[in-house]
């Protein structure tokens, strides 16, 4: 399915703030877990996967969804009170070692053919 269909063509979520950074930690709220059965498809999968905190990037990799789709849907779920957001300290996000770990982690995510990207 095309990513723009999952977000109804939107490139930003329902919130008024800036897009969620990829390192933002998201976790399901008790409200989100209560309504889990009534959520549709990808929203259900996102809330269910967020029983434990994880970054937006990890969530996209785990669910095999486009990063911006997860970002938009997570913003919608946050606005609805189904997810809580924990934005890391800006100084940590600028730490080169964090960036290196993110790059290394992304390289271990299989592509659409289930083959690993090169470790180049």
């Amino acid at each position: 399915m095309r990513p723009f269909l999952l977000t109804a063509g939107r490139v930003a979520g329902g919130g008024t703030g800036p897009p969620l950074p990829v390192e933002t930690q998201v976790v399901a709220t008790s409200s989100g877990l209560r309504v889990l059965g009534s959520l549709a498809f990808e929203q259900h999968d996102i809330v269910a996967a967020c029983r434990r905190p994880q970054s937006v990037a990890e969530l996209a990799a785990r669910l095999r969804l486009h990063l911006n789709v997860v970002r938009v849907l997570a913003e919608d779920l946050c606005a609805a009170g189904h997810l809580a957001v924990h934005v890391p300290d800006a100084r940590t996000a600028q730490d080169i070692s964090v960036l290196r770990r993110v790059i290394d982690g992304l390289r271990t995510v299989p592509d659409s053919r289930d083959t690993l990207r090169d470790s180049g």
Side-chain angles (χ1 to χ4, degrees), residues 103-104 106-109 111 115-120:
I103 290 170
D104 291 344
L106 289 173
R107 284 188 174 138
T108 64
V109 176
D111 65 13
T115 57
L116 294 179
R117 292 168 176 81
D118 65 37
S119 60

Side-chain angles (χ1 to χ4, degrees), residues 23-120:
E23 69 275 9
T24 300
Q25 297 286 306
V26 290
V27 64
T29 63
S30 56
S31 166
L33 294 174
R34 270 196 308 275
V35 299
L36 189 60
S38 66
L39 296 174
F41 307 110
E42 288 79 13
Q43 290 184 335
H44 174 277
D45 294 343
I46 289 171
V47 173
C50 287
R51 285 186 171 101
R52 299 176 77 190
Q54 58 192 297
S55 72
V56 172
E58 290 171 314
L59 188 56
R62 172 174 284 156
L63 298 177
R64 295 182 174 264
L65 291 170
H66 191 279
L67 179 59
N68 283 332
V69 168
V70 172
R71 191 180 289 183
V72 170
L73 295 178
E75 289 172 10
D76 292 345
L77 290 163
C78 288
H82 302 319
L83 290 180
V85 175
H86 304 282
V87 180
D89 182 3
R91 291 182 308 261
T92 303
Q94 294 173 356
D95 182 355
I96 192 70
S97 66
V98 173
L99 181 58
R100 174 53 57 198
R101 289 195 314 264
V102 169
I103 290 170
D104 291 344
L106 289 173
R107 284 188 174 138
T108 64
V109 176
D111 65 13
S112 61
R113 297 176 306 254
D114 282 333
T115 57
L116 294 179
R117 292 168 176 81
D118 65 37
S119 60

